[in-house]
Amino acid sequence: MTRTRRGFIARRRRSKARSFIASFRGGLLRPQQDIRALASSHRDRNGQKRNFRRLWITRINSVIRGGWIYYTYSKLIHDLYKRQLLLNRKILAQIAIANQQCLYLISNEIIKNANWKESAVVI
């Protein structure tokens, strides 16, 4: 009986594993380590998104509370959505770090046009 050559599917599977292994630093990886590394990278990408969101929220809240106005982060975001000013947290955090006066202007405009019983008070 003649020897059969393995087909396309097995070769594709092995070359795919080799290409994944070749992209990692260090020496050779076994397939189990390869799978573990891929799972960890997927998990850590999601964790990085969470960490950046927490950082942006912290920056916005610290500038808002430390300024001339008595306003909290949650009320600011609530009033932004109520006024349909769709500024995301990343942009608000950049404004808070680079130009605090601009963030104060935004929050003061929101306070002026919002209902005073629901919003914060200017000190």
Side-chain angles (χ1 to χ4, degrees):
M1 194 154 128
T2 60
R3 178 182 172 274
T4 60
R5 293 174 55 197
R6 290 303 303 250
F8 170 71
I9 295 172
R11 192 166 48 249
R12 182 178 61 187
R13 184 183 68 236
R14 291 188 190 105
S15 65
K16 186 190 229 181
R18 263 188 248 112
S19 69
F20 281 141
I21 291 170
S23 65
F24 293 124
R25 290 183 61 195
L28 296 173
L29 290 178
R30 292 189 295 275
Q32 293 86 5
Q33 290 173 320
D34 177 33
I35 293 168
R36 177 77 180 245
L38 291 173
S40 297
S41 67
H42 178 73
R43 181 196 66 226
D44 293 339
R45 276 195 303 273
N46 289 337
Q48 186 182 28
K49 291 172 190 170
R50 273 194 305 272
N51 289 338
F52 270 109
R53 183 182 168 101
R54 287 176 58 193
L55 174 68
W56 297 330
I57 290 170
T58 305
R59 285 180 175 173
I60 296 166
N61 201 16
S62 66
V63 170
I64 287 294
R65 285 177 183 257
W68 302 321
I69 51 176
Y70 179 72
Y71 212 54
T72 60
Y73 166 80
S74 60
K75 288 182 181 178
L76 175 72
I77 295 295
H78 174 71
D79 289 342
L80 277 173
Y81 277 101
K82 201 161 59 173
R83 294 269 321 270
Q84 295 179 348
L85 295 173
L86 300 177
L87 294 171
N88 61 11
R89 287 162 181 85
K90 180 180 178 180
I91 299 299
L92 283 174
Q94 287 175 351
I95 292 171
I97 296 299
N99 190 0
Q100 293 181 0
Q101 297 297 327
C102 183
L103 190 65
Y104 295 150
L105 289 174
I106 292 170
S107 58
N108 285 335
E109 286 298 318
I110 292 171
I111 290 172
K112 281 184 204 173
N113 296 326
N115 187 0
W116 282 97
K117 291 179 182 177
E118 295 175 5
S119 292
V121 180
V122 176
I123 292 177

